[in-house]
Amino acid sequence: MPLDQENGAIGYLLSRTYFVHKKRTTDMLSEYGITPEQFGILDQLYKHEGITQKTLAELHGKDQTSVGKTLERLENKNLVHRKTDPADRRAILLTLSEEGRELYKQVLPLMDDLHQYLSRLITPEGVNELARLLNIIYKDLSS
């Protein structure tokens, strides 16, 4: 008898969906030599050039140490530059290198295609409602 997974616990459904999404994006990005987490960092730096490491960590909902390790990997691949903020020597400013910018532009269409594919699985209203509900859960659990 198959297990009923349609009405499982919310945490289980979120986790299961996250893992298959991460596997799909990992497979897509592997030929570019980056992980989904690294793409997320490139995406934020493309949109918010010159932000601090602290702000980046807040955007990702992760601690600065975890983000710092990912940044170190990206820096070793010459995709990201870190420099001390002249106005606050404790702060680290982040920018994409030219290679990072080019890689981001190559990968973005793939990620956009995946987003469009997922969005077609449910109605536009459903996409908005899903985003709204996930944000409610995220905000409550992270406070």
Side-chain angles (χ1 to χ4, degrees), residues 44-93:
Q44 290 299 327
L45 294 181
Y46 189 84
K47 294 173 181 172
H48 307 286
E49 188 78 20
I51 64 172
T52 65
Q53 187 169 324
K54 180 180 179 185
T55 301
L56 181 63
E58 290 168 358
L59 285 170
H60 277 271
K62 294 185 176 183
D63 62 271
Q64 287 190 64
T65 303
S66 297
V67 169
K69 289 177 183 178
T70 303
L71 285 168
E72 186 175 329
R73 289 182 195 99
L74 290 170
E75 195 172 33
N76 289 339
K77 295 176 184 183
N78 198 32
L79 299 175
V80 170
H81 296 302
R82 294 193 273 188
K83 68 176 186 175
T84 304
D85 183 348
D88 179 359
R89 300 197 45 79
R90 296 169 295 165
I92 305 295
L93 300 178

Side-chain angles (χ1 to χ4, degrees), residues 109-139:
L110 294 173
M111 300 307 288
D112 284 344
D113 287 348
L114 178 59
H115 174 74
Q116 292 303 318
Y117 170 76
L118 295 174
S119 296
R120 286 191 299 269
L121 295 175
I122 54 180
T123 65
E125 296 81 17
V127 171
N128 291 336
E129 183 65 3
L130 178 60
R132 187 183 75 75
L133 293 171
L134 290 172
N135 280 315
I136 287 171
I137 292 169
Y138 175 80
K139 287 175 186 171

